[in-house]
Amino acid sequence: MVAHAPRRASEVTGVVGWWHTPDVDVEEGAVLAEVLRPDAAGIAAAVRILRRGGVVGMPTETVYGLAADALDPAAVTRIFAIKGRPADNPLIVHLRSAQELERVVAATTPLAEALAMSFWPGPLTLVLEVGEDVPAVTTGGLRTVAIRVPDHPVATELLTAVGRPLAAPSANRSGRPSPTTAEHVAADLGDDLEVVLDGGPCPVGVESTVVDARGDEPVVLREGSISREDLRSIVGVRSRATAAHDRTDVQASPGTRYRHYAPTCALEIAASADAASRAAELAASGISVGLVASCPAPEGVRSIARFTDAPDLARQLYAALRDAEDTAVDVLVVEAVPEVGVGRAVMDRLRRAAE
Ligand code: TXA
Ligand code: MG
């Protein structure tokens, strides 16, 4: 790999192969994000930044995160500043393994242990009573903390090397789709971030499922890639779990109070059988139309993404929304997927974006 001089993120147009070899020390206050290959030198550079209270872009299996030491209030404050995130919207704390749970919670529950055993490492975030070492800025002043153990080799390596829990929201600028490549992170936050570790495209593509695990039954606070069916397969066998585990308690999830991402173009969700014809109909009226569907785009319609099933759409969704904005289509038509498994989270994100 050829070492490139770091470039302004805004000059980078989604080309791959622009890793910067970190042979020079990354300087504090640098304003140009360097996308680093996640080899030993890249991990070491990220660790140095994290140890002095800085923020780095970190790949996870769901989306890229904007990571800082979860136990350092000044470092966590930087995350909020970079993202432009309201102070009362708490962050997820990422751990290397479930064994580190005691470090960040006041008390665990049999439910949390069962869920952690089944789904960690993986895209499930558990909300539990917060431990005293976690600063209030991390939890937005709540008495609870959201925790997950990511299932991505680069995140695991970074968490192991730094030896600290890492707070990380999705690494998009507020108002943009979550990033699923290092290039997305650099495009949104490149001016405010020193380093992004490049772990390639995220294999899941939508954010983790957030579950309140303080009681006997899981309460889903945010739909995600661990589905209700997945949860039910574990807690359904627990004697005290009841059908109430299907309850959605949106009030308890601070993030849902804020305006969700909406693309700059109009977004229309179409039933599977109608997507192509609806796109063609709109294009015939003289406007520019993009299509995300399982079928090819009809003549006069720009194909933004083509998917095979709901997990495939999940992987491509956020990149497709960015592409639709970049190509300045007037309307993006997206084919609906069945609301089972990760399809429910995909449809949840699509409906919010279409609002
Ligand atoms: O997949 C993911 O979850 C990604 C990757 C980077 O791990 N992270 C992510 O973080 O999506 P963020 O900050 O974009 O979304 C976290 C969500 C927000 O809706 C927030 O309000 C909720 O989790 N949350 C965090 N702490 C909470 C708590 N103590 N109680 C309830 N909800 C909480
Ligand atoms: Mg987010």
Side-chain angles (χ1 to χ4, degrees):
M1 174 67 51
V2 181
H4 298 285
R7 288 179 289 167
R8 288 190 71 83
S10 51
E11 289 170 12
V12 173
T13 50
V15 206
V16 284
W18 52 296
W19 281 319
H20 175 76
T21 305
D23 46 3
V24 287
D25 210 6
V26 179
E27 277 178 34
E28 181 135 34
V31 288
L32 311 176
E34 293 175 88
V35 175
L36 299 186
R37 186 206 293 266
D39 55 15
I43 297 283
V47 167
R48 276 200 300 279
I49 293 168
L50 292 170
R51 290 242 168 96
R52 60 158 200 257
V55 179
V56 303
M58 167 179 79
T60 82
E61 77 279 32
T62 55
V63 301
Y64 276 70
L66 190 59
D69 186 336
L71 307 183
D72 175 349
V76 174
T77 301
R78 275 185 201 112
I79 295 179
F80 282 90
I82 291 173
K83 261 204 82 140
R85 183 178 177 112
D88 61 350
N89 192 2
L91 305 180
I92 295 173
V93 174
H94 298 70
L95 304 177
R96 188 185 63 83
S97 81
Q99 270 112 56
E100 292 187 334
L101 200 54
E102 284 173 8
R103 246 175 125 174
V104 292
V105 303
T108 181
T109 61
L111 172 65
E113 275 159 29
L115 293 174
M117 179 102 73
S118 303
F119 298 112
W120 282 357
L124 181 70
T125 294
L126 300 177
V127 171
L128 287 166
E129 218 181 295
V130 67
E132 55 188 26
D133 290 346
V134 180
V137 61
T138 304
T139 63
L142 295 179
R143 286 205 212 117
T144 54
V145 61
I147 314 122
R148 83 179 189 96
V149 176
D151 186 16
H152 191 290
V154 177
T156 305
E157 235 190 285
L158 184 62
L159 285 159
T160 304
V162 75
R164 307 275 292 178
L166 295 177
S170 51
N172 53 297
R173 178 95 50 201
S174 283
R176 296 275 288 157
S178 291
T180 51
T181 66
E183 289 82 0
H184 295 163
V185 180
D188 276 13
L189 302 174
D191 290 347
D192 299 317
L193 202 58
E194 294 165 71
V195 149
V196 184
L197 288 175
D198 190 349
C202 298
V204 172
V206 294
E207 301 85 349
S208 63
T209 307
V210 181
V211 161
D212 186 341
R214 288 174 297 165
D216 292 333
E217 304 141 355
V219 178
V220 176
L221 304 181
R222 178 178 72 181
E223 302 287 349
S225 53
I226 298 287
S227 67
R228 284 158 189 260
E229 293 84 350
D230 295 332
L231 293 172
R232 198 174 292 133
S233 72
I234 301 309
V235 291
V237 297
R238 292 174 53 75
S239 56
R240 293 172 71 194
T242 70
H245 70 247
D246 250 356
R247 208 170 105 226
T248 296
D249 191 350
V250 288
Q251 299 312 335
S253 184
T256 59
R257 284 203 304 268
Y258 299 101
R259 208 178 70 82
H260 210 268
Y261 163 73
T264 50
C265 57
L267 192 152
E268 238 189 78
I269 304 168
S272 183
D274 305 334
S277 56
R278 177 62 183 151
E281 182 188 6
L282 286 166
S285 73
I287 58 175
S288 141
V289 181
L291 179 66
V292 174
S294 59
C295 58
E299 215 184 300
V301 171
R302 182 191 282 269
S303 177
I304 300 287
R306 197 161 162 198
F307 64 86
T308 53
D309 53 11
D312 189 31
L313 177 56
R315 272 188 292 277
Q316 298 192 58
L317 180 65
Y318 288 136
L321 292 172
R322 282 172 184 263
D323 286 352
E325 291 198 3
D326 292 347
T327 53
V329 295
D330 297 314
V331 185
L332 180 68
V333 176
V334 184
E335 176 183 327
V337 290
E339 299 206 37
V340 288
V342 73
R344 191 180 278 118
V346 168
M347 292 305 291
D348 166 71
R349 304 304 190 273
L350 276 174
R351 270 193 215 102
R352 287 165 190 270
E355 257 167 27

